[in-house]
Amino acid sequence: MPSPTEPQSAVRAEQPVVTAMYARLDELTERAARDLERARRSRTAGTPAALFERGALIRSYTERLGGLTSAERRLCFGRIDHSAGGTTVYVGRLSLADQAQNLLLTDWRAPAAEPFYRATTANPMGVARRRHILLTGRLVTAVEDDVLDLDAVGTGSSFEGHGALMAALAARRTGRMGDIVATIQGEQDRIIRAPMPGILVVEGGPGCGKTVVGLHRAAYLLYTHREQIARSGVLVVGPNALFLRYISQVLPGLGESSAVLATPGQLHPGIEGVAESDDEVAVVKGDLRMADVLATAIRNRQRIPDSARDLVVAGTRITMTTAMVAGARDRARASRRPHNRARLTFVTSLLDRLALVLAEARRVDPESNREILLADLRDSRDVRREVNLCWMPLTAEQVMGELFADPRVLAAAGPRLSGRERELLARPAGAPWTVSDVPLLDEAAELLGEDDEPARRAAALSASERALEEEYARGVMEMTGVTGISGLTAESLIDRYSGSQTIRRTVVDAALSDRTWAFGHVVVDEAQELSPMQWRLLLRRCPSRSMTVVGDLAQAASLAAPRTWGQIFDRLAPGRWSVQPLTVNYRTPAPMMELATRVLVASGTPVAEPASVRDGSTPRLLRVPDVPDAGLGGPAGAEEPAGVGGAAAGGPEALADRLAAATGQEVTRWIADEGRTAVVVPRSLRDRFAEALAEHVPAGSVGLGNAALDTRVSVLTVAESKGLEFDQVVVVEPAVMLAESARGGHDLYVALTRATQELLVVHAADLPPGFASD
């Protein structure tokens, strides 16, 4: 084992090692780039098989080049010195070996790297010293040692524990989430490396690293169980599009590209759900009773006419009785297939019954004339009309549109719903689909199944054409004398040249367009916001129940959110879930966490304050001078915040202008200090506030909506800020936030815990309880 060295000597000693690693990385990167360029320029025979092979090579080289390129930043960040003359292991973003296949660097996910994160003085795991290597670009700027076996290392070693962690926590934010592979802590590593089967709930307060732990767990599982889950990919579900942009580089930065990122409103192909305007509506739509409502609505579309129907079939008049339809319907339902697939059984059964009646009317033998009878029935307009009226092929959009637009349909399908609940669900036909509609659309699609009749017809036609092609190919082989060549058949010849081998889509492309795609693993962030129906959808996407669920019930804003995790998983995945807590707050300084906890408790939600590892500045409260006739009304029926007048001429616009002017002074100072700032505002003030703030700060500094992360100052609602973090945060008018949300205390808790450096609360109204320390 290397002898103990002084810090500067250690820096000098590590530089050649790191330089050699980067040289090897450059060599491999250049080789991958050449291979990719060669594959792109290569000419092929133009056959589908050749194109497929070329496409596979291009994908492989592209992924390889991406992984190598993403490793540039902090390629190596640690070293493990084992006791008793053991080997020295360098830990980094990926594994590297020299040309002689001597290991230079070990991937952080490999078992050999586990002691770097897990070893302690109580359980050193055979490690004498753990060294953190800090890089600036490719230059080693510092090393920090954690000595776990002083006898093995010697008393001359200098070290400072947790220095790398504290440096990472103090670093400026960039507007994108970074990885934490260099600073993973013991309790985080245990969760990241936990066994794959089952649902693992990662629970912790703000700043505990839940999101990055969930993402690094996905990268670890892809590395450890690649054959099992890489082909089916990993689904990462985040609360909104802004959050997905924020985390978008974490997995690629860890060398993984087979992850699908989606919001809850994007989980049904072809639909982009908009926000639900009324939380009460979201609660009803999220209730598991809606699965029964949809099933009943679909069964109600499997109709029996109220009386017999006369039908004309190729000039012959016959009668279709209600008993015939009832018998066909019972047989179709007994198949237990989805509606659209069971329709084939219904149609076949009903046509068989009608064929007997038609044969009797024509006085012909039903068996010997069966094909003619069935063909005439299928060609009859009367028969097609009645069959469709009794059992129409349906889409999920049709079922949902009719259900919510027609009170009679909803009443017949939802007798277990109250009158008030049915009123909440009612809406005009053609209304845009919302986020809470998405799991209902998916449920309806599951109950309906695909209408496979067009596919069956196409398959039959394809089979007929294939038979002709095979016959032709055999003739060609006989004429050219190539029969008898090993491995060459008419079938393989057609496959090679006919185009039946299509170029395979990537996992991401395939999964996004296929509602029935089954993912190998699912990561759900801000999981406390999901309704039971949304969980039901996600469990369909992952039949193996291999999931990492990340959330904090104390941050739940939706009335549809569960009160306990068992409320969801005991019902939907009994015996297949567990909870792993994260107890340390790495992001939010202690004074800010203390304030946020007081405010939440004062709102009526008891919660334990996570232990913050960082001290920091005390939150500042800035009262804006009174705004005459400002008006701070929340939603209809909400109580007016204390100390603020009712709506009048100036209204919320005058308030937003005054608040923005006061905020602009502080934000301008932060911009000059190179910080990234978020201003978290009530929904009702968001747009006007952003417009007014832009007049008080340097041009181009303010961003709104999905563009917020590309500017120095992000104006966000609480919902948009979920999961994000910033150097400085301004929380604007807490009284309005409290008034305009069904769970306003939870919203304030979220808003007050986004900052890593400074927190300012700007207000005109009296502050809610909890802001003043007793």
Side-chain angles (χ1 to χ4, degrees):
M1 180 177 63
S3 60
T5 54
E6 292 302 311
Q8 289 306 311
S9 298
V11 168
R12 290 193 295 271
E14 296 294 3
Q15 186 63 61
V17 179
V18 171
T19 299
M21 293 177 188
Y22 273 110
R24 182 58 173 166
L25 180 69
D26 289 342
E27 182 182 340
L28 295 174
T29 301
E30 290 171 7
R31 181 187 302 172
R34 288 196 303 269
D35 290 340
L36 176 59
E37 186 63 22
R38 188 184 308 114
R40 285 174 172 167
R41 292 186 175 185
S42 64
R43 295 183 178 181
T44 71
T47 65
L51 291 172
F52 176 83
E53 292 172 4
R54 179 174 176 269
L57 281 174
I58 289 174
R59 284 195 302 274
S60 176
Y61 291 143
T62 299
E63 291 178 3
R64 175 64 172 158
L65 182 60
L68 292 168
T69 303
S70 66
E72 170 70 28
R73 181 177 173 271
R74 298 197 68 181
L75 172 64
C76 173
F77 48 77
R79 190 181 95 180
I80 305 170
D81 295 336
H82 288 93
S83 302
T87 58
T88 294
V89 176
Y90 283 89
V91 180
R93 292 183 177 277
L94 45 68
S95 290
L96 283 177
D98 62 19
Q99 291 184 346
Q101 296 306 302
N102 298 310
L103 191 64
L104 301 175
L105 187 64
T106 297
D107 193 299
W108 68 273
R109 295 166 289 189
E114 186 174 349
F116 183 76
Y117 303 107
R118 301 281 288 277
T120 65
T121 53
N123 179 24
M125 302 176 68
V127 175
R129 172 172 56 193
R130 171 176 50 224
R131 170 166 289 175
H132 299 273
I133 300 173
L134 282 69
L135 304 180
T136 300
R138 298 186 171 195
L139 183 67
V140 180
T141 54
V143 299
E144 295 172 351
D145 288 346
D146 297 331
V147 176
L148 307 180
D149 185 344
L150 193 59
D151 292 335
V153 174
T155 58
S157 181
S158 300
F159 64 94
E160 181 181 353
H162 300 296
L165 172 64
M166 299 312 293
L169 295 176
R172 292 289 188 188
R173 268 51 203 164
T174 65
R176 297 292 186 275
M177 175 175 282
D179 63 67
I180 59 166
V181 292
T183 57
I184 292 172
Q185 302 303 294
E187 71 172 3
Q188 296 172 330
D189 189 70
R190 281 190 293 274
I191 295 172
I192 289 169
R193 298 175 192 267
M196 185 174 72
I199 298 173
L200 181 65
V201 180
V202 183
E203 183 175 42
C208 290
K210 301 183 297 297
T211 296
V212 287
V213 166
L215 294 173
H216 284 67
R217 175 166 165 76
Y220 170 77
L221 292 176
L222 279 165
Y223 175 87
T224 308
H225 305 281
R226 183 163 298 278
E227 290 300 318
Q228 188 173 346
I229 63 176
R231 287 187 177 182
S232 51
V234 170
L235 172 64
V236 179
V237 180
N240 53 56
L242 191 63
F243 175 83
L244 294 182
R245 289 193 64 201
Y246 179 64
I247 68 169
S248 61
Q249 295 305 309
V250 175
L251 285 173
L254 298 173
E256 300 299 346
S257 58
S258 57
V260 176
L261 275 60
T263 69
Q266 298 170 327
L267 292 175
H268 186 78
I271 299 295
E272 183 82 31
V274 301
E276 192 74 67
S277 59
D278 188 336
D279 202 40
E280 284 189 272
V281 176
V283 171
V284 179
K285 291 180 179 178
D287 195 295
L288 287 177
R289 290 176 298 164
M290 290 304 299
D292 293 331
V293 171
L294 289 167
T296 303
I298 291 170
R299 284 175 67 88
N300 288 348
R301 295 294 296 267
Q302 300 162 4
R303 297 164 177 158
I304 298 174
D306 54 6
S307 61
R309 296 287 191 265
D310 289 337
L311 310 174
V312 176
V313 180
T316 304
R317 185 177 296 276
I318 63 173
T319 299
M320 181 183 75
T321 67
T322 58
M324 291 180 187
V325 179
R329 186 182 71 170
D330 292 344
R331 183 176 179 185
R333 286 180 173 177
S335 72
R336 306 185 69 84
R337 293 174 179 171
H339 173 91
N340 287 331
R341 293 186 179 178
R343 182 175 183 272
L344 175 61
T345 303
F346 171 79
V347 172
T348 301
S349 180
L350 183 56
L351 290 183
D352 284 343
R353 287 167 167 80
L354 291 174
L356 293 174
V357 176
L358 182 59
E360 183 178 354
R362 291 179 176 177
R363 301 179 184 277
V364 298
D365 178 51
E367 291 302 323
S368 59
N369 292 276
R370 175 179 171 78
E371 294 304 321
I372 296 174
L373 295 170
L374 291 176
D376 286 347
L377 287 167
R378 291 192 181 97
D379 289 341
S380 168
R381 178 185 295 181
D382 287 357
V383 173
R384 291 199 303 270
R385 181 190 66 247
E386 293 301 328
V387 167
N388 283 333
L389 287 174
C390 293
W391 197 299
M392 177 80 74
L394 297 170
T395 66
E397 290 80 0
Q398 286 175 316
V399 172
M400 287 276 292
E402 181 185 70
L403 182 66
F404 293 155
D406 191 330
R408 295 169 301 176
V409 173
L410 183 55
R416 294 176 57 195
L417 300 177
S418 69
R420 169 62 177 164
E421 288 172 326
R422 291 197 294 270
E423 289 176 4
L424 288 169
L425 292 176
R427 70 178 185 198
W433 301 115
T434 67
V435 172
S436 50
D437 286 330
V438 167
L440 304 185
L441 286 165
D442 201 76
E443 183 78 22
E446 187 76 10
L447 293 167
L448 291 170
E450 295 293 331
D451 181 7
D452 58 358
E453 187 170 348
R456 286 187 295 103
R457 290 177 180 173
L461 179 61
S462 176
S464 176
E465 293 173 347
R466 173 85 177 196
L468 292 174
E469 288 176 350
E470 288 180 3
E471 183 179 352
Y472 176 77
R474 278 190 290 270
V476 170
M477 292 174 67
E478 291 173 0
M479 285 189 298
T480 56
V482 298
T483 55
I485 296 178
S486 177
L488 185 61
T489 65
E491 292 80 0
S492 63
L493 192 65
I494 293 169
D495 284 341
R496 182 170 295 180
Y497 294 106
S498 69
S500 61
Q501 291 191 33
T502 57
I503 296 177
R504 193 183 75 178
R505 297 174 297 171
T506 65
V507 167
V508 173
D509 292 337
L512 285 173
S513 61
D514 185 354
R515 192 194 67 79
T516 63
W517 188 272
F519 289 93
H521 192 76
V522 173
V523 178
V524 185
D525 209 325
E526 299 295 336
Q528 72 277 356
E529 302 297 345
L530 299 191
S531 71
M533 287 300 294
Q534 288 172 320
W535 282 114
R536 189 173 166 96
L537 180 158
L538 287 172
L539 291 171
R540 280 197 296 273
R541 294 291 189 276
C542 190
S544 67
R545 303 296 194 265
S546 177
M547 304 178 78
T548 301
V549 173
V550 176
D552 178 16
L553 296 174
Q555 297 185 58
S558 171
L559 288 176
R563 302 296 176 179
T564 66
W565 297 116
Q567 193 176 333
I568 293 293
F569 298 120
D570 280 343
R571 185 167 183 178
L572 295 177
R576 303 186 65 179
W577 68 282
S578 61
V579 177
Q580 287 286 344
L582 287 172
T583 59
V584 180
N585 185 329
Y586 297 100
R587 176 183 70 214
T588 314
M592 302 177 197
M593 197 65 237
E594 180 184 351
L595 170 62
T597 303
R598 284 203 316 267
V599 170
L600 182 59
V601 171
S603 73
T605 301
V607 64
E609 180 181 338
S612 296
V613 299
R614 301 170 59 219
D615 202 353
S617 62
T618 300
R620 293 182 294 131
L621 309 178
L622 175 62
R623 177 126 197 188
V624 175
D626 290 341
V627 183
D629 297 325
L632 287 182
E639 292 187 6
E640 213 173 63
V644 180
E653 292 187 357
L655 173 66
D657 290 347
R658 184 63 64 89
L659 292 168
T663 302
Q665 299 175 16
E666 297 290 335
V667 168
T668 299
R669 176 175 64 85
W670 285 334
I671 291 174
D673 194 35
E674 297 296 315
R676 289 194 65 88
T677 300
V679 184
V680 187
V681 299
R683 294 191 304 269
S684 57
L685 300 179
R686 173 183 177 268
D687 293 351
R688 176 66 179 186
F689 181 93
E691 181 182 343
L693 181 63
E695 299 175 0
H696 298 281
V697 298
S701 298
V702 176
L704 197 63
N706 288 339
L709 295 182
D710 299 323
T711 54
R712 299 294 299 279
V713 182
S714 305
V715 177
L716 309 167
T717 64
V718 174
E720 291 170 332
S721 74
K722 279 184 175 291
L724 308 184
E725 60 182 42
F726 299 86
D727 297 308
Q728 302 90 12
V729 171
V730 182
V731 176
V732 174
E733 207 57 87
V736 178
M737 287 186 185
L738 191 64
E740 70 180 13
S741 171
R743 302 181 78 173
H746 291 237
D747 279 358
L748 281 177
Y749 185 65
V750 171
L752 293 168
T753 54
R754 301 303 96 195
T756 65
Q757 305 294 334
E758 293 187 67
L759 174 65
L760 172 67
V761 178
V762 177
H763 64 106
D766 293 341
L767 290 170
F771 277 87
S773 58
D774 297 329

